[in-house]
Amino acid sequence: MATFGILRRSLSTTTTRNAIKNVTVIGGGLMGSGIAQVAAQTGHNVTLVEVNADILKKAESSIANSLGRVAKKLYKDDAKAVKDSDLIVEAIVEKLEIKHKLFKSLDEAAPTKTIFASNTSSLSIGEIASVTNRKDRFGGLHFFNPVPVMKLLEVVRIPETSEETYQALMAWGKAVGKTCITCKDTPGFVVNRLLVPYIAEAIRMMERGDASARDIDIAMKLGAGYPMGPIELADYVGHDTTLSISEGWHKKFPENPLFNICESQRKLVQQGKLGVKSGEGYYKYNK
Ligand SMILES: CC(=O)CC(=O)SCCNC(=O)CCNC(=O)[C@H](O)C(C)(C)COP(=O)(O)OP(=O)(O)OC[C@H]1O[C@@H](n2cnc3c(N)ncnc32)[C@H](O)[C@@H]1OP(=O)(O)O
Ligand SMILES: NC(=O)C1=CN([C@@H]2O[C@H](COP(=O)(O)OP(=O)(O)OC[C@H]3O[C@@H](n4cnc5c(N)ncnc54)[C@H](O)[C@@H]3O)[C@@H](O)[C@H]2O)C=CC1
């Protein structure tokens, strides 16, 4: 598999130091580019691996905008991109089989010391880790969008995660400037278990015609104090990601009506209207 990467050497304004210095982020989309940025700006050496050259360019310019200068490197294979890595954070598409394929190859390519983490929104960390031989060095690091702004990091432990790995992940979260909470490997961890059904209920309200998208958004901003309304937020997160979450949970828990699929969202994804990142979702955006 041909992959491309950028190497970002740390800024000198480093805050906390910890054992993890070299970080590889796999996937340079919405989340991966943000994770790479916060890691770089807190003094880590970051390699960003992305299969799509256009997205890599976009990530590079967004990071460059924030940080000033970026050193580039072209990677031909995964082995090279991870060979010195203390920590690999995966932020690729929300599909279990694709994450499995990636982690299987990373497990062979990465040194024994390397800790693996997934930024998955909704999949089981234990299931993702099951294809590797390093479950003791595996955990969830769930960031929030936009990564440079959102202060929370959910650190997810599976039963096999060693105490040493858990402590290293918590310390690294702190070192990249986040407030860490710990949670078990349950669907959606803390935030998404509450947020995803809330967004889906708002979409269903709009589908029933109880209120318009705009009015639902205004209502939740002015009536409940949220920074964004739920329909805006669905566009912001990306409908491909949210639909994958709902589909996965609906399959696993068909009796729970909160996890039912929203037909209007399925239609948007079929039309390639993924939200802010594609220029259109429930609303239209200037690209
Ligand atoms: C799906 C999952 O698994 C989990 C998730 O991520 S769920 C989604 C979680 N995220 C949310 O709920 C986001 C809710 N929205 C918000 O908090 C806010 O609307 C927002 C932070 C995105 C934008 O805030 P805003 O006040 O409306 O806009 P704006 O004035 O442009 O930005 C505020 C600040 O954030 C910064 N900012 C906004 N987006 C940024 C980005 N992508 N990168 C860096 N900085 C950014 C701005 O530069 C600005 O900084 P200053 O105050 O220093 O100038
Ligand atoms: N969008 C959001 O608000 C949040 C998403 N997440 C999770 O983060 C992960 C990524 O989501 P987004 O950044 O939103 O998606 P995205 O679609 O913006 O980015 C994913 C990127 O991964 C790349 N990719 C796919 N396979 C790859 C591979 N094998 N190697 C390297 N790159 C590869 C794609 O080209 C794409 O650029 C998902 O697991 C998602 O559930 C977590 C928190 C918030």
Side-chain angles (χ1 to χ4, degrees):
M1 177 180 66
T3 58
F4 305 85
I6 59 171
L7 187 73
R8 175 80 181 84
R9 203 151 279 280
S10 53
L11 293 182
S12 51
T13 51
T14 308
T15 46
T16 327
R17 278 259 138 247
N18 71 324
I20 292 171
K21 285 201 181 84
N22 300 328
V23 180
T24 305
V25 179
I26 317 258
L30 268 184
M31 296 305 291
S33 59
I35 296 167
Q37 180 186 324
V38 294
Q41 75 195 27
T42 50
H44 299 86
N45 301 321
V46 182
T47 304
L48 179 60
V49 179
E50 168 58 59
V51 285
N52 180 321
D54 289 339
I55 291 182
L56 179 65
K57 247 189 173 156
K58 214 168 139 189
E60 188 185 347
S61 77
S62 119
I63 294 170
N65 273 344
S66 299
L67 293 178
R69 66 201 160 89
V70 172
K72 275 188 258 170
K73 246 191 184 178
L74 190 68
Y75 285 94
K76 298 284 182 217
D77 57 56
D78 282 342
K80 216 168 172 186
V82 301
K83 78 174 176 28
D84 296 322
S85 203
D86 299 313
L87 171 67
I88 297 174
V89 184
E90 167 273 316
I92 67 166
V93 62
E94 187 74 344
K95 298 269 182 219
L96 185 62
E97 57 286 3
I98 300 180
K99 291 192 195 281
H100 270 169
K101 199 168 160 227
L102 174 71
F103 275 114
K104 242 188 207 163
S105 75
L106 290 174
D107 199 31
E108 284 163 21
T112 315
K113 65 165 186 177
T114 311
I115 297 175
F116 286 3
S118 174
N119 180 55
T120 180
S121 297
S122 64
L123 300 171
S124 154
I125 301 293
E127 278 179 36
I128 298 173
S130 67
V131 296
T132 72
N133 291 313
R134 60 176 87 206
K135 296 191 201 72
D136 57 323
R137 279 150 292 145
F138 208 114
L141 284 177
H142 186 222
F143 286 85
F144 294 84
N145 183 25
V147 179
V149 178
M150 303 301 281
K151 296 188 171 63
L152 183 69
L153 178 62
E154 291 177 329
V155 178
V156 186
R157 282 186 94 153
I158 56 174
E160 296 89 346
T161 310
S162 71
E163 183 61 22
E164 195 186 341
T165 299
Y166 166 69
Q167 293 299 343
L169 293 176
M170 290 293 280
W172 186 73
K174 199 173 164 200
V176 297
K178 302 301 176 193
T179 299
C180 299
I181 64 149
T182 304
C183 45
K184 283 194 185 161
D185 188 20
T186 57
F189 316 126
V190 175
V191 173
N192 282 346
R193 180 60 183 81
L194 299 172
L195 196 59
V196 173
Y198 155 70
I199 290 175
E201 279 297 279
I203 295 172
R204 282 190 272 274
M205 184 180 271
M206 180 186 59
E207 287 175 345
R208 289 194 302 270
D210 296 346
S212 68
R214 204 159 293 279
D215 283 350
I216 293 169
D217 283 340
I218 290 173
M220 292 313 287
K221 283 189 280 194
L222 301 188
Y226 284 80
M228 273 181 181
I231 313 289
E232 281 179 280
L233 187 56
D235 272 3
Y236 194 65
V237 166
H239 295 293
D240 49 344
T241 298
T242 323
L243 186 66
S244 289
I245 298 174
S246 304
E247 283 176 342
W249 290 354
H250 181 64
K251 213 167 156 195
K252 261 189 171 166
F253 311 100
E255 72 295 343
N256 190 336
L258 287 176
F259 301 155
N260 285 348
I261 307 299
C262 299
E263 280 312 317
S264 63
Q265 192 171 43
R266 201 201 297 269
K267 222 182 202 164
L268 284 179
V269 174
Q270 279 165 357
Q271 296 168 338
K273 296 177 180 171
L274 305 181
V276 178
K277 68 181 166 188
S278 72
E280 188 174 348
Y282 288 110
Y283 298 107
K284 284 194 170 145
Y285 303 87
N286 294 326
K287 272 185 104 179

